[in-house]
Amino acid sequence: IASLKAHEAGSYSTVNSADYLGYYQFGVAALETVGFLAAGSQAILEAAGCGGQSVSCRSVTDTVLNDTSKWSGTKAVELGVSSKEDYLANKNNAQDVAIGLLSNISFRSLSNSGDVDLSNPNDVGGMVATAHLRGVGGARTMRAGRERADGFGTFPSTYYIEIGAAVC
């Protein structure tokens, strides 16, 4: 997680041009997955043709992230995070909790499907980091020899190599 943090952003208050938030650059889908945004938040982006959360969809993403009623997921309520501003302020360590939850979800999924070598900490770290960048499906696709860069030109294999190697 420390290596991922160093890779992603400069501070907890960072917001990039596509509206990914904080040190770990969480988007709407990830925030919904870990229980900060209400169920259906990602569906709003998808309905507007913005499922991939990009710079060109910033106005739609802003609509979701700036709506305090959307910050009503179970983890947001538990930690008292009721807005984008609370999340960016890392209220009650929200961002660190979020990355731990997402990493655990990714690890369990990759482990249960046999897509990670549990005897190799570099593979575990690399695959979890890759899943952070492109989702579990993107990590599996990379493992199969096909990968696609994110909107900023970063390939999953970059995370796999650079972050996975930092594990040991």
Side-chain angles (χ1 to χ4, degrees), residues 4 8 20 128-135 148-150 154-159:
L4 186 60
E8 289 291 290
Y20 285 87
V128 169
T130 299
H132 176 73
L133 180 69
R134 297 297 293 167
R148 195 178 88 225
D150 71 0
T154 305
F155 282 91
S157 57
T158 302
Y159 272 46

Side-chain angles (χ1 to χ4, degrees), residues 61-80:
T61 307
D62 275 343
T63 300
V64 172
L65 293 174
N66 292 327
D67 181 350
T68 56
S69 73
K70 298 291 183 238
W71 291 89
S72 58
T74 55
K75 192 53 69 174
V77 171
E78 179 184 313
L79 295 176

Side-chain angles (χ1 to χ4, degrees), residues 119-136:
S119 68
N120 181 343
N122 293 74
D123 189 59
V124 172
M127 289 298 282
V128 169
T130 299
H132 176 73
L133 180 69
R134 297 297 293 167
V136 170

Side-chain angles (χ1 to χ4, degrees), residues 85-141:
E85 292 73 26
D86 284 350
Y87 186 78
L88 291 172
N90 199 34
K91 184 176 181 181
N92 295 319
N93 296 312
Q95 293 182 41
D96 299 308
V97 168
I99 191 62
L101 290 168
L102 188 62
S103 295
N104 285 335
I105 290 167
S106 297
F107 172 76
R108 278 193 309 273
S109 180
L110 291 165
S111 178
N112 289 341
S113 63
D115 289 307
V116 65
D117 179 356
L118 297 176
S119 68
N120 181 343
N122 293 74
D123 189 59
V124 172
M127 289 298 282
V128 169
T130 299
H132 176 73
L133 180 69
R134 297 297 293 167
V136 170
R140 287 182 181 130
T141 300

Side-chain angles (χ1 to χ4, degrees), residues 19-20 25-38 41-43 45-46 50-53 61 64-65 102 105 135:
D19 237 3
Y20 285 87
Q25 295 291 279
F26 268 52
V28 171
L31 287 164
E32 183 176 335
T33 296
V34 298
F36 282 88
L37 293 178
S41 295
Q42 177 65 22
L45 272 67
E46 291 168 5
C50 297
Q53 192 168 330
T61 307
V64 172
L65 293 174
L102 188 62
I105 290 167

